Amino acid sequence: MTSLSEFDPAFMVLEERGPIVIARISRPSLSDEENIEELGQEFSKLIEHFGCRQLVVDLGAVGMVTSAALGKLISLHRNLHRRDGRLVICGAKGMVLDVMVTARLNEYFKMAETSDDAVAVLNQSAV
C-alpha cells in the first residue's frame, strides 16, 4: 500500500487522523461533467490504491453541486460499503444541503456538521 502523502488530488485536500481520512473538497462548484469524472476517479483511488476505509468528505467549501456529483458520492459510499468501510459527509450547507435533503440523501448518508463531528461519528461506530 502506498502512502497517502504521495497522492496529489485536484479536487480535495486530505488530512489523516489515524485510520480516518478527511477529504475536504476544495472546489466551490461540482458541476462540470469532465471534472466530476475526475472527482470519482480520485475517490476510487483513495479506496482502491491507498486502502482508505474510513472517510469523511467535507463539503464546507462547496456552494453548488449537480446530480452527477451526488452520484459520485453515492458510488463512493457503495464502494466503501463493499469493503466494510464507512463514509460520513460533513459541512453541507445552503444549496448543497437543500439538494441533498430534497433527494433524501441526508437519510442515505451519515451526515455531520463539522469534520470533527464526522470523525467522532466514525470513532463511535468503530467501538
Side-chain angles (χ1 to χ4, degrees), residues 10-71:
F11 280 83
M12 58 192 87
V13 176
L14 302 174
E15 176 188 343
E16 291 181 88
R17 291 200 197 168
I20 297 171
V21 175
I22 300 170
R24 288 186 174 82
I25 304 300
S26 54
R27 303 275 177 101
S29 176
L30 297 178
S31 59
D32 177 58
E33 296 307 317
E34 181 180 320
N35 289 345
I36 296 306
E37 195 54 43
E38 188 179 341
L39 174 67
Q41 291 169 3
E42 289 183 358
F43 282 147
S44 292
K45 197 170 188 179
L46 268 177
I47 295 167
E48 294 160 16
H49 187 74
F50 293 98
C52 176
R53 294 294 176 266
Q54 295 187 77
L55 182 62
V56 172
V57 175
D58 188 337
L59 299 176
V62 179
M64 202 278 244
V65 67
T66 63
S67 58
L70 294 176

Side-chain angles (χ1 to χ4, degrees), residues 57-121:
V57 175
D58 188 337
L59 299 176
V62 179
M64 202 278 244
V65 67
T66 63
S67 58
L70 294 176
K72 295 301 177 192
L73 289 174
I74 292 168
S75 295
L76 171 65
H77 180 265
R78 290 180 179 156
N79 196 352
L80 276 167
H81 188 73
R82 281 194 297 272
R83 292 169 167 77
D84 294 321
R86 292 168 310 151
L87 169 69
V88 178
I89 306 287
C90 72
K93 60 187 180 301
M95 184 275 253
V96 174
L97 182 59
D98 292 346
V99 169
M100 293 183 83
V101 169
T102 300
R104 300 181 74 176
L105 291 174
N106 60 318
E107 298 171 17
Y108 180 73
F109 295 120
K110 284 188 179 178
M111 307 264 306
E113 282 193 37
T114 68
S115 57
D116 288 340
D117 294 342
V119 167
V121 167

